Amino acid sequence: RIDYLDSEDGVFLLEKASTNLITHSEDFSNEAWAKSGNAVVDSNFTTSPSGKQNASKFTFDGTTNATVNRTISVTNGVAYTFSVWLKNNNLSDPSKVWIGLSTTTQGEYVTVTNEWQRFDTTHTSNGILEYPRVQTSEVGSIFAWAAMLEQSSQSSSYIPTQGTIQTRVQETA
């Protein structure tokens, strides 16, 4: 792959091996994704950054800490990075969307705009299970696509999954 972000001539984008531990990275309506606090998921609702109609709509009713999350087995004391693409639809306060893992110290508030943006957060696991999540206490909806959890201290390019964990091998030139 060629990356044109930092150079108009382009540079090779070579990445280390990585694994997406989330088995349904685009299908948030799958039963593997838990919904709490009256969060509702409508799958294939709008066009994602991939150009396909495969992004979900998360609707929240103002219930405190309404959440869409997964349960993932992890190694205690190791760094994990959770990333997800988000776009605001009509959330009452788009600066109060929280992304993270199990505890309030393992995440952060992000401001979801009217443009697609990939958000990521890195934290050390504090047990053998983590719960990558999108959470808010606001009213309205946001769009979501391409969730990823990697055992890494930084995010890599998106690795899609459709029911199984997927690994990208290290790239070389």
Side-chain angles (χ1 to χ4, degrees):
R1 294 182 309 246
I2 300 176
D3 180 3
Y4 291 97
L5 290 178
D6 297 324
S7 168
E8 64 183 54
D9 294 327
V11 295
F12 284 112
L13 176 60
L14 301 174
E15 295 186 278
K16 63 182 176 70
S18 191
T19 299
N20 187 352
L21 300 171
I22 294 176
T23 57
H24 295 276
S25 61
E26 297 175 12
D27 184 6
F28 297 96
S29 66
N30 183 280
E31 67 273 359
W33 285 94
K35 294 86 174 168
S36 67
N38 296 328
V40 176
V41 173
D42 293 308
S43 61
N44 301 321
F45 189 86
T46 192
T47 305
S48 73
S50 73
K52 297 178 184 175
Q53 187 161 336
N54 59 353
S56 294
K57 180 172 84 167
F58 295 177
T59 303
F60 304 97
D61 68 358
T63 301
T64 301
N65 297 328
T67 303
V68 177
N69 74 284
R70 285 290 311 265
T71 302
I72 305 287
S73 295
V74 296
T75 303
N76 188 30
V78 174
Y80 286 86
T81 298
F82 172 58
S83 63
V84 62
W85 286 80
L86 299 173
K87 178 181 176 181
N88 188 36
N89 182 35
N90 59 6
L91 199 64
S92 55
D93 187 346
S95 69
K96 292 187 178 174
V97 175
W98 191 87
I99 64 165
L101 302 177
S102 297
T103 67
T104 56
T105 60
Q106 293 175 294
E108 59 194 277
Y109 282 97
V110 297
T111 299
V112 180
T113 68
N114 294 330
E115 300 293 326
W116 281 108
Q117 184 177 353
R118 186 181 189 199
F119 296 95
D120 61 44
T121 187
T122 302
H123 300 278
T124 300
S125 62
N126 63 355
I128 60 169
L129 295 175
E130 287 295 349
Y131 304 89
R133 67 183 64 202
V134 176
Q135 176 175 303
T136 190
S137 299
E138 299 303 304
V139 175
S141 61
I142 58 175
F143 302 124
W145 178 72
M148 204 158 125
L149 182 69
E150 303 171 81
Q151 184 178 320
S152 176
S153 59
Q154 62 185 28
S155 62
S156 66
S157 62
Y158 175 53
I159 303 168
T161 63
Q162 295 179 347
T164 60
I165 293 170
Q166 294 294 316
T167 300
R168 178 189 50 253
V169 297
Q170 180 173 342
E171 300 170 323
T172 60

